[in-house]
Amino acid sequence: MKPPKERGKPIVPPCQVIRIRFSPDGKELAAACVDGVVRRWSVPDAKPLTELKGHDGWVTTLSYSPNGDLLSADSWGKLVRWSNEKVRWSIAAHDGWLRAVAIAKDRIATCGRDGYVREWTADGKKLHEAQFGVDLYSLVYSPDGVLIVGDLFGQIRVLDSHLKMLRKLEQKEFHLLDRIQDVGGVRCLAFSPDGKTIYAAGCQPKTGGFVQAFPLLVALDFATGKTLWSWKGANDNEGIVHDLRVFADGRLAAVTSGQPGQGKFLLFEPPTATPAFVSTKMPNCHSVDIHPDGKQIATSATNANSSGNGRVKGKAGEYPENSSPIQYWDIE
Amino acid sequence: MINPFCTPADHRLNRRAFLGAAALGGLATPAFAEALRKERRQVLFVWLDGGISQLESWDPKPNTIFGGPFRAIPTSVPGIHISELLPETAKQMHRLALVRSVCTQDNSHSAGVDRIQRGDPKNRGVVYPYLGSAMARWLGPGTSGLPPYIWVKPMNGGFIYKDAGFLGPKYGALALGDGKPPENLLRPAEISEVDDAERNELRELADKRYAEKRKADTTDANSYAFAMAAQLQKRVELFDLSKLPEKDRDRYGSHDLGRHLLLARRLLEEGVTFVKVTSYGWDTHGDNFNGHASLVPKFDKPFAAMIQDLADRGMLDNVLVIAMSEFGRTPRINGHLGRDHWPEAWSVCMGGRGIKPGVVAGKTNEKGTDVATEPHDIGHLFHTWFRALGVDPEKQKYYNATQPLPIAHEEMHPVKEVLA
């Protein structure tokens, strides 16, 4: 693999970004922002498009449906389906932090801090729900529609079409009870294009508080649950894998955020566990997405000097906010 | 001329007084014991070491740029909202008060912990006592026969004399590591009671000879530590939480903070003057929001249970409850989705003895970056707590040998809005 090259200057939104996603036609990029706004830009010229407002707290996750509708969710539990920049429907999907959204052919799945997994019709009607009593961080459908869910304690549940648990894949290295803090969690889940491999990512925590942690990516055989290969960061200050995406050809893109200001953009060529590409140029990366053409990538990171005790001052003497520069990359 | 203020001797702890009080506590009739209980002045001090975020607890700013992902929820007091991570404490808000205008000086742990717990008096060239030692000094050991300042904490325990500062080692803390009594507390089975008494007699004789040529404070502290150990030896059942109803253990939780708060309740019930409960690991520079999502509920449930239990037992009239850290956390969310140290605008929760319930003093601005009302430093809070416990900082003074010293920062005053 030739190393990807940065293209142009980054887009700098006015606040921090949790998640970025390309639309299925590749013409726009959307960002879930901590001020409750979904911001969008045209691709490739990065012109701002209409902002989508109506969320509370943080917009925590985004997912485009195949027809181009955008699903966005927030930390107060709201799920919104946007169609041509208008709200098609908006529902109170969870009690509090809605952490992940996945889309299958005719269904939408969500999970949250309230411990529920729910499935919805394309019109936002509830189909099924299941309560697992733990903070659920991530979920994804396999190519043939099997839903899997990852939690704070490193457990990956395989669910049937009524959300009953079929089996559980224990990945205990994703969790640590440090003093009274449960740290870690399966932050990201993805399937290989053939549906045979599950990719789980997050971190192997060493402490709570600061969250000293080794970023961790584990490839599991879906049929047996056996670990095929794994990658762990070299140092416990490298932090957490915050986002993980799969190319159509099976390669992987991941980003990490650590302490202080640590950030990596990584590309993998499975089953090789050593990254084929690593960039450490960007501090604290939180999201990555692959353009539908497979030749462009976008990453969101954080501005430099984003941390500091006490009253840090900006250039004009103001108390500064941080932002998440979004960088395009070209890749062959 | 008669000194209008107390002198050191008036409040000095000594072994005889300590053991006398223990005997009194043990022999009192129920009616007399109840009368004594009503006279108690006690403190529960919950220390969340590292710094709980005010924005994820007592002073949420939902839907603002620094507000984070969580919602604010109503409490039992109309108009007061706190973080959704504190649903049980929200139900107790009519028994609690918040000061949202805390503005202190130090943004490092090493300076912050000391400065906050010593009340940051003006520099007098002496080391001031921690709040627990100060209360042991002013409120005395009571009638429980137990040490007046007990610190329940994870990890190691021991006798922590440095907390006492210039008051001298005997006002130090007896730390119960992991909520357990000091090691080797119980007389080994192979040593008979008679042999043990003889051993102690011999030790006391050696202590006496040693003390003849040394400073009284040091030798008193040594004797005092032995007296405490002897007294605790008779009360080991206090530490056996397995004998409590399962319902209580469920309400407080099986994690360290829950178990330690439940032990604190027992110690307060027994009349211990000052119980400090420390929880470590609140320094959430990274992943602050998931961290608080895990940590705060483990404070919320046992803390609310404690307030309810103290209320049910009529003990909120006696016990001043304080929950705090060395500082708050930055409004600005750093790149690792953490919050750093922020002494500039944060909150403290209190309740019980001498505190007006269901009120909020002070406020921060819309983004939570500054105190928008009169700022209150730790000296203001020490004034408030002394007043709440009936100790008047205007009238009472410490004496370091013959040097009179104010008990709280003399340029500060109590936060009157939270005083009953």
Side-chain angles (χ1 to χ4, degrees):
Chain A
M1 181 196 298
K2 282 189 181 175
K5 287 181 182 168
E6 290 161 276
R7 188 183 74 223
K9 289 186 177 174
I11 301 167
V12 183
C15 64
Q16 285 159 290
V17 165
I18 303 296
R19 191 66 81 227
I20 53 173
R21 290 292 180 259
F22 284 107
S23 60
D25 63 6
K27 290 182 178 172
E28 66 180 51
L29 178 76
C33 298
V34 300
D35 62 353
V37 176
V38 178
R39 290 187 171 77
R40 301 175 306 136
W41 299 269
S42 60
V43 178
D45 51 2
K47 284 186 180 163
L49 302 172
T50 305
E51 294 178 350
L52 307 180
K53 295 180 178 175
H55 278 293
D56 291 301
W58 289 359
V59 184
T60 50
T61 189
L62 296 169
S63 192
Y64 278 97
S65 73
N67 77 343
D69 281 4
L70 177 63
L71 283 151
S72 58
D74 69 38
S75 62
W76 291 20
K78 191 191 290 178
L79 177 66
V80 181
R81 182 165 190 151
W82 306 88
S83 194
N84 297 318
E85 301 177 348
K86 298 277 189 299
V87 175
R88 187 167 147 190
W89 49 257
S90 171
I91 54 173
H94 287 263
D95 181 10
W97 197 332
L98 201 166
R99 290 187 177 273
V101 175
I103 299 177
K105 268 184 195 168
D106 56 347
R107 285 167 294 157
I108 298 159
T110 56
C111 65
R113 190 174 161 261
D114 60 4
Y116 276 98
V117 179
R118 293 195 169 104
E119 276 194 317
W120 314 87
T121 66
D123 292 329
K125 304 281 185 299
K126 189 161 68 182
L127 282 171
H128 312 289
E129 70 177 18
Q131 167 62 257
F132 293 103
V134 291
D135 196 339
L136 300 170
Y137 274 51
S138 52
L139 82 175
V140 68
Y141 284 107
S142 71
D144 56 358
V146 177
L147 186 63
I148 62 170
V149 186
D151 74 16
L152 168 61
F153 297 97
Q155 312 216 40
I156 300 167
R157 292 172 176 82
V158 181
L159 309 180
D160 72 8
S161 58
H162 289 84
L163 304 183
K164 296 225 165 30
M165 191 174 72
L166 295 171
R167 59 197 168 101
K168 203 190 281 183
L169 311 177
E170 305 267 1
Q171 298 295 311
K172 288 182 180 169
E173 62 269 45
F174 283 101
H175 172 257
L176 173 76
L177 176 63
D178 183 46
R179 301 184 176 110
I180 63 168
Q181 183 184 352
D182 290 295
V183 198
V186 178
R187 304 294 179 103
C188 319
L189 280 171
F191 273 96
S192 59
D194 63 8
K196 290 181 179 173
T197 305
I198 296 172
Y199 298 113
C203 66
Q204 182 178 322
K206 192 176 171 190
T207 69
F210 261 74
V211 184
Q212 294 293 112
F214 300 91
L216 182 64
L217 166 62
V218 178
L220 302 166
D221 180 72
F222 185 33
T224 64
K226 190 180 161 191
T227 300
L228 300 172
W229 58 269
S230 66
W231 168 81
K232 191 171 98 172
N235 297 303
D236 64 18
N237 63 355
E238 291 180 20
I240 301 165
V241 177
H242 277 274
D243 202 5
L244 174 70
R245 304 294 282 167
V246 182
F247 287 75
D249 64 9
R251 287 176 296 166
L252 303 175
V255 289
T256 68
S257 170
Q259 184 77 263
Q262 292 263 343
K264 286 185 176 171
F265 163 38
L266 306 123
L267 294 173
F268 293 87
E269 292 179 312
T272 306
T274 306
F277 171 78
V278 181
S279 169
T280 56
K281 285 181 182 176
M282 301 171 294
N284 300 111
C285 304
H286 291 112
S287 193
V288 60
D289 200 24
I290 302 159
H291 191 272
D293 68 9
K295 293 177 181 173
Q296 303 173 67
I297 289 173
T299 55
S300 71
T302 309
N303 53 280
N305 304 316
S306 70
S307 61
N309 297 329
R311 189 174 291 281
V312 178
K313 287 190 175 170
K315 284 177 185 168
E318 81 289 4
Y319 184 65
E321 298 162 14
N322 288 319
S323 69
S324 300
I326 298 169
Q327 179 67 53
Y328 286 120
W329 303 72
D330 290 324
I331 183 168
E332 290 181 19
Chain B
M1 182 180 163
I2 297 168
N3 188 338
F5 304 119
C6 303
T7 66
D10 295 335
H11 295 272
R12 183 170 287 157
L13 288 170
N14 61 55
R15 186 168 171 271
R16 186 172 297 164
F18 179 78
L19 294 175
L24 185 62
L27 297 174
T29 63
F32 186 55
E34 178 59 15
L36 285 175
R37 193 191 66 74
K38 285 183 177 170
E39 291 303 310
R40 283 179 193 159
R41 291 176 295 170
Q42 298 170 275
V43 182
L44 169 66
F45 188 65
V46 184
W47 182 258
L48 305 173
D49 192 86
I52 186 173
S53 166
Q54 70 283 2
L55 294 156
E56 277 71 60
S57 57
W58 311 117
D59 193 11
K61 300 285 180 183
N63 271 343
T64 65
I65 192 66
F66 300 130
F70 299 111
R71 299 167 290 183
I73 55 169
T75 66
S76 57
V77 180
I80 299 180
H81 289 69
I82 59 176
S83 170
E84 67 170 302
L85 300 176
L86 291 162
E88 299 303 319
T89 304
K91 295 173 195 164
Q92 300 292 333
M93 189 48 65
H94 58 290
R95 298 184 168 121
L96 297 169
L98 299 175
V99 178
R100 284 177 170 160
S101 47
V102 183
C103 178
T104 51
Q105 307 296 320
D106 293 295
N107 64 31
S108 76
H109 298 292
S110 51
V113 173
D114 238 36
R115 184 177 174 278
I116 295 295
Q117 293 207 32
R118 295 189 197 279
D120 191 39
K122 276 187 166 179
N123 183 8
R124 305 282 176 158
V126 294
V127 178
Y128 262 64
Y130 270 34
L131 185 62
S133 298
M135 291 307 175
R137 160 69 175 78
W138 290 108
L139 306 181
T143 56
S144 70
L146 293 167
Y149 174 14
I150 294 185
W151 180 14
V152 185
K153 64 189 286 292
M155 299 182 286
N156 298 332
F159 186 58
I160 314 295
Y161 64 86
K162 76 174 182 64
D163 280 17
F166 70 77
L167 289 180
K170 66 192 167 196
Y171 289 100
L174 176 68
L176 305 176
D178 195 28
K180 293 177 181 145
E183 283 181 14
N184 306 317
L185 182 64
L186 291 176
R187 174 171 52 82
E190 60 270 25
I191 298 177
S192 72
E193 205 168 331
V194 175
D195 287 348
D196 192 42
E198 281 180 9
R199 280 198 322 163
N200 277 327
E201 208 171 302
L202 185 62
R203 180 186 54 76
E204 282 169 15
L205 185 65
D207 283 353
K208 198 177 167 187
R209 282 189 188 163
Y210 182 84
E212 280 168 4
K213 292 177 182 174
R214 286 168 178 84
K215 280 180 70 176
D217 273 1
T218 312
T219 51
D220 278 1
N222 188 48
S223 300
Y224 177 65
F226 273 99
M228 282 196 302
Q231 206 55 36
L232 284 171
Q233 207 162 350
K234 295 173 187 164
R235 305 302 310 277
V236 285
E237 83 285 355
L238 282 175
F239 303 97
D240 186 359
L241 298 182
S242 69
K243 289 185 178 157
L244 290 178
E246 195 175 334
K247 191 179 159 196
D248 270 1
R249 285 179 277 144
D250 286 347
R251 289 169 62 235
Y252 280 73
S254 58
H255 48 79
D256 285 356
L257 183 53
R259 287 187 296 107
H260 294 171
L261 279 169
L262 185 53
L263 174 60
R265 192 195 77 187
R266 297 200 87 187
L267 296 170
L268 291 166
E269 286 169 336
E270 289 299 316
V272 173
T273 300
F274 189 99
V275 182
K276 177 161 79 171
V277 176
T278 292
S279 171
Y280 293 108
W282 293 76
D283 193 19
T284 51
H285 289 277
D287 209 20
N288 171 77
F289 305 97
N290 289 314
H292 275 70
S294 175
L295 289 164
V296 178
K298 290 171 190 150
F299 162 79
D300 175 52
K301 206 174 149 187
F303 182 70
M306 171 72 87
I307 299 300
Q308 182 66 53
D309 288 351
L310 293 178
D312 290 347
R313 290 158 172 76
M315 290 173 66
L316 281 179
D317 294 337
N318 306 94
V319 182
L320 168 67
V321 179
I322 302 162
M324 67 181 299
S325 298
E326 61 267 47
F327 36 59
R329 306 213 72 85
T330 50
R332 187 168 79 143
I333 298 162
N334 69 31
H336 197 27
L337 299 180
R339 295 192 192 269
D340 301 309
H341 306 167
W342 189 250
E344 313 259 353
W346 54 292
S347 302
V348 171
C349 176
M350 60 192 82
R353 161 101 193 189
I355 298 297
K356 187 187 286 183
V359 297
V360 173
K363 65 176 183 181
T364 49
N365 64 6
E366 194 183 341
K367 288 184 177 179
T369 57
D370 291 277
V371 173
T373 52
E374 181 193 2
H376 293 115
D377 205 332
I378 189 63
H380 293 104
L381 298 179
F382 265 55
H383 274 276
T384 308
W385 299 330
F386 278 126
R387 292 271 185 177
L389 291 160
V391 179
D392 186 350
E394 301 296 322
K395 293 181 180 166
Q396 305 288 11
K397 286 193 186 311
Y398 291 123
Y399 281 85
N400 179 35
T402 56
Q403 177 194 17
L405 294 165
I407 66 171
H409 198 299
E410 63 263 50
E411 289 170 8
M412 297 186 189
H413 53 80
V415 184
K416 287 184 181 158
E417 299 96 307
V418 298
L419 281 175

